[in-house]
Amino acid sequence: MEWTDEGIVLGVRRHGESSAIVELLTRQHGRHLGLVRGGASSRLRPLLQPGNSVSAVWRARLDEHLGTYAIEGLKLRAATLLGSSHGVYGVTHLASIARLLPERDPHEEIFALLEHSLDDFDDIGSAAVHLIHFELAMLAELGFGLALDNCAVTGETTDLIYVSPKSGGAVSRGAGEPWRDRLLRLPPFLRQGEMHDDLTDQDLRDGFRLTGLFLLRHVLEPRGQGHSDARAGFINALIRQQAKAALPAP
């Protein structure tokens, strides 16, 4: 058995004295593990960092075997990504969410979204938007997508500013006003057709609250899991950055 594919490194664990088991999210073969001989060496270690894009050749005698990877670097983002606290937490959390996908099941749209997210992760605000969109996409991919295109009560497609915490459906301003204290806020950058040039700190917090609730209820808790520490670390880094930005200039 043999195939060649592009992959994004999700994680690595040492195997024996010099090898490593590498977990990739590949474009055409999904989340896939393989043994890299010499993966713990100084030559290969920089390639096998979370967030890096690689070209991988997988070989095994039978399809169900772990198999081995021969890996070459394509886009080595890790040095930049791991140079900031939000980058470390963000990449770790993205990998933990991607692990919710079943092994060896292709999800090309998720691969493309993860690749795009990692390419635009320098600024913490942009990174937060990408992370929230990735969580929404994962909810949809796992069968729990939110209905944010029209009002769950009236069917309207405009002025959608709330989300029902029960159904996951959007609610318009008029329909939701009597129950506004019980509804989640739908931030503008998640509304169809709206730009988010005037993104606020509250928008990002509302986005994380929205995706966090449904991920926990529908995906994580049924598996006996909770949100990753990395997610909390990213949000805390975001809050610290927002507080720092709000301080008056000396």
Side-chain angles (χ1 to χ4, degrees), residues 128-129 132-133 187-191 194-196 199 203-204 207-208:
V129 170
I132 292 165
H133 276 294
F189 72 93
L190 294 181
R191 300 174 198 164
E194 293 196 28
M195 302 298 291
H196 52 84
L199 189 69
D203 290 338
L204 295 175
F208 278 115

Side-chain angles (χ1 to χ4, degrees), residues 93-151:
H93 177 57
L94 284 168
S96 74
I97 293 294
R99 288 191 184 97
L100 296 171
L101 296 170
E103 268 193 79
R104 305 191 179 194
D105 189 14
H107 297 269
E108 292 193 39
E109 290 185 5
I110 292 293
F111 175 88
L113 185 58
L114 178 59
E115 187 175 47
H116 176 63
S117 299
L118 293 171
D119 283 339
D120 190 25
F121 223 70
D122 292 345
D123 174 73
I124 192 169
S126 296
V129 170
H130 285 303
L131 210 158
I132 292 165
H133 276 294
F134 190 79
E135 290 185 343
L136 272 179
M138 283 294 300
L139 278 167
E141 198 75 7
L142 295 169
F144 304 103
L146 306 187
L148 304 180
D149 295 341
N150 57 274
C151 177

Side-chain angles (χ1 to χ4, degrees), residues 16-83:
E17 292 188 7
S18 60
S19 297
I21 294 176
V22 178
E23 182 180 24
L24 302 178
L25 182 64
T26 64
R27 185 183 297 278
Q28 298 177 349
H29 297 83
R31 186 171 65 86
H32 207 292
L33 281 75
L35 179 72
V36 176
R37 303 191 190 283
S41 68
S42 58
R43 182 180 70 84
L44 289 179
R45 200 180 307 123
L47 272 64
L48 304 180
Q49 296 297 313
N52 282 344
S53 287
V54 298
S55 173
V57 179
W58 180 82
R59 297 184 180 92
R61 190 169 65 84
L62 296 174
D63 186 57
E64 60 266 26
H65 288 178
L66 173 66
T68 61
Y69 275 138
I71 284 182
E72 295 182 2
L74 292 177
K75 195 164 190 177
L76 306 186
R77 310 180 185 86
T80 300
L81 291 171
L82 304 182

Side-chain angles (χ1 to χ4, degrees), residues 161-219:
I161 66 169
Y162 301 115
V163 176
S164 166
K166 292 185 178 180
S167 69
V171 181
S172 67
R173 187 187 306 273
E177 194 62 26
W179 300 278
R180 59 181 301 176
D181 294 337
R182 303 180 188 178
L183 300 173
L184 300 169
R185 181 172 175 266
L186 178 61
F189 72 93
L190 294 181
R191 300 174 198 164
Q192 288 293 327
E194 293 196 28
M195 302 298 291
H196 52 84
D197 293 337
D198 56 347
L199 189 69
T200 68
D201 300 346
Q202 189 62 49
D203 290 338
L204 295 175
R205 293 176 190 174
D206 289 336
F208 278 115
R209 184 185 178 203
L210 177 65
T211 55
L213 173 69
F214 291 102
L215 272 173
L216 197 61
R217 179 191 298 165
H218 295 306
V219 181

